[in-house]
Amino acid sequence: MSGDEAGEPAEETIFTWGAPPLKFGAGACDEVGHELAQYGAGRVLVVTDPGVRELGIPDRVADSLRRYGVAAEVFDGVHVEPSDASFAAAVEHAESRGPWDGFVAVGGGSAIDTAKAVNLLTSCSGELMDYVNAPVGRGKAPDRPLKPLVAVPTTAGTGAESTAMCVLDVLSMKVKTGISHWRLRPSLAVVDPLLTMSLPPEVTASSGMDIVCHAVESYTARWYGGFARRAPEERVTYCGANPVSDLWCEKAMGLIAKSFRRAVHDGAADVEARTDMIMAATFAGMGFGNAGVHIPHANGYPVAGMVGDYRPRGYPQDEPMVPHGQAVSLTAPEAFRFSFEAAPERHLRAARLLAPDKEQLDDPAEQLPQVLVDLMRDIGIPNGIGAVGYGESDVPALVPGTMKQQRLLTTCPRPVDEEDIERILLNSVQNW
């Protein structure tokens, strides 16, 4: 008797996987004009932030567009760690200067996510909160194709050039959330490792921990066949770990093991390490952008969204912030202690990929957390949420922000409730 005949939901038998076409290599950013010209674009907005604009990269991309007969303007008002307010300002600018035939995002995840939101809200009707994931927003799906979007990352971290989601802070609710739909995925990822050579060590470390968490969370995520079967219209971008996403996550972890420490400690001179890390970011995006992430990212949203007065080295100092890569990594060791029992072989495999020479510990549940702690200490990541301004007394206020991330928590390989999250956060006030 089938599950349906027994009156119980059948297990899922289908997974989905998607990624944009990829152009990768030194000098690739100078070919953006050729690529967008193929779409017949006559007028394009280049979306970036002030810091990246100062490096000259967005104007270099704009010159590439003009060489191929594409009119280009640069908007450099992206806010690092974007919010609903900064998205709205970018959309207003685009609408006032439009219409546009396409967009180019040049920068880290903040620029790429902002460009995705601009593309969505200038192509489709409705307000931002219509599209933000439930329960924070209404979770509406875009009702039409968006304009061509080329993503040119300048950091090795978010993998936003590969994914179909964008992340933002909702300021009034002090929560970080996102918009997720396959239509948001860029039309093309143009990945040039030379654009990352000048990243400060602190930014390299933080953004690199985002890659680590993307790869490990999606590799240890709930298996796609463990979900109840969905109707076609119910399928979501995060479908659980699957054979294709596994390949990209494993490759990303291998590259991290080889090159992460080198990129932090000698990134200005080590082109190979920089190349490996931005490739790992793109590959991990191809993994988690389909499989999904779980507890570390869910915890990272309130940790970043409720920041007090923490100002990280290597980042703009004009306002407090917990960089995304730091925020998601600070509870990762304890989160993987919690999830170990649901998928022990995957946790141990991830630990071996990240640290092939690490001695085997007596307690297998400690293997992956200790690999992460060793790495975080080596590259200067803060020692737990206590090092970015949170104490044990703050934990009850953080828990609701995590529990709002049900899109992520359902991807955890074992069920997780408020008490579990509170314990994980308490045990992450200090990691070593």
Side-chain angles (χ1 to χ4, degrees), residues 97-418:
R97 303 287 296 174
W100 306 99
D101 301 317
F103 301 92
V104 181
V106 182
S110 299
I112 297 173
D113 285 358
T114 299
K116 290 175 180 176
V118 168
N119 196 8
L120 170 65
L121 293 168
T122 58
S123 299
C124 300
S125 60
E127 304 294 327
L128 175 66
M129 295 303 292
D130 291 335
Y131 297 98
V132 167
N133 295 322
V136 178
R138 289 175 279 280
K140 176 183 174 182
D143 58 2
R144 68 191 69 183
L146 309 189
K147 300 291 177 60
L149 168 60
V150 175
V152 184
T154 60
T155 63
T158 66
E161 67 276 6
S162 300
T163 68
M165 65 275 305
C166 62
V167 176
L168 70 152
D169 286 307
V170 179
L171 298 176
S172 62
M173 302 173 70
K174 291 191 174 181
V175 66
K176 189 178 285 281
T177 183
I179 304 172
S180 179
H181 191 273
W182 63 267
R183 290 196 190 274
L184 268 66
R185 189 176 286 121
S187 309
L188 174 68
V190 175
V191 181
D192 188 336
L194 299 184
L195 302 185
T196 68
M197 296 300 295
S198 63
L199 287 176
E202 297 86 358
V203 178
T204 302
S206 176
S207 58
M209 284 308 302
D210 198 19
I211 309 173
V212 172
C213 290
H214 286 157
V216 180
E217 288 175 61
S218 51
Y219 194 66
T220 59
R222 186 175 178 182
W223 187 249
Y224 79 94
F227 290 91
R229 189 176 184 89
R230 296 180 174 100
E233 62 274 12
E234 297 172 334
R235 298 205 181 280
V236 294
T237 306
Y238 283 179
C239 67
N242 61 77
V244 180
S245 63
D246 282 354
L247 295 173
W248 297 109
C249 293
E250 289 180 346
K251 184 63 176 176
M253 286 186 275
L255 292 167
I256 289 164
K258 175 185 172 190
S259 294
F260 191 4
R261 288 171 172 86
R262 289 165 48 196
V264 173
H265 298 306
D266 193 29
D270 196 332
V271 177
E272 181 184 53
R274 291 293 196 184
T275 300
D276 284 350
M277 288 305 291
I278 200 165
M279 186 176 286
T282 299
F283 286 0
M286 293 177 176
F288 93 87
N290 297 277
V293 288
H294 54 91
I295 296 174
H297 266 75
N299 283 338
Y301 287 170
V303 167
M306 298 177 67
V307 62
D309 195 36
Y310 175 68
R311 287 171 166 82
R313 291 179 58 191
Y315 287 85
Q317 298 294 298
D318 52 339
E319 61 184 284
M321 64 178 290
V322 183
H324 178 68
Q326 287 187 16
V328 301
S329 69
L330 297 177
T331 65
E334 187 65 21
F336 292 122
R337 288 187 184 98
F338 172 84
S339 58
F340 177 82
E341 67 179 53
E345 70 294 334
R346 285 187 167 250
H347 288 67
L348 291 171
R349 170 71 170 152
R352 286 194 299 272
L353 287 167
L354 288 171
D357 299 326
K358 175 76 173 177
E359 72 279 3
Q360 297 302 302
L361 304 180
D362 292 337
D363 182 356
E366 279 297 309
Q367 194 73 28
L368 180 56
Q370 287 305 313
V371 165
L372 295 176
V373 165
D374 290 347
L375 175 60
M376 292 161 72
R377 294 184 74 169
D378 284 353
I379 61 175
I381 295 296
N383 183 9
I385 63 173
V388 300
Y390 296 101
E392 292 185 1
S393 62
D394 298 308
V395 165
L398 293 169
V399 172
T402 297
M403 297 309 298
K404 288 176 181 176
Q405 312 305 321
Q406 289 301 314
R407 180 179 64 96
L408 310 186
L409 295 177
T410 57
T411 313
C412 184
R414 62 176 284 200
V416 55
D417 61 23
E418 290 187 11

Side-chain angles (χ1 to χ4, degrees), residues 7-44:
E8 298 173 355
E11 289 187 345
E12 184 59 87
T13 61
I14 296 170
F15 70 87
T16 57
W17 187 86
L22 171 66
K23 174 170 279 194
F24 186 100
C29 74
D30 294 319
E31 299 190 6
V32 170
H34 167 77
E35 298 297 338
L36 263 174
Q38 311 310 304
Y39 289 93
R43 203 164 172 268
V44 168

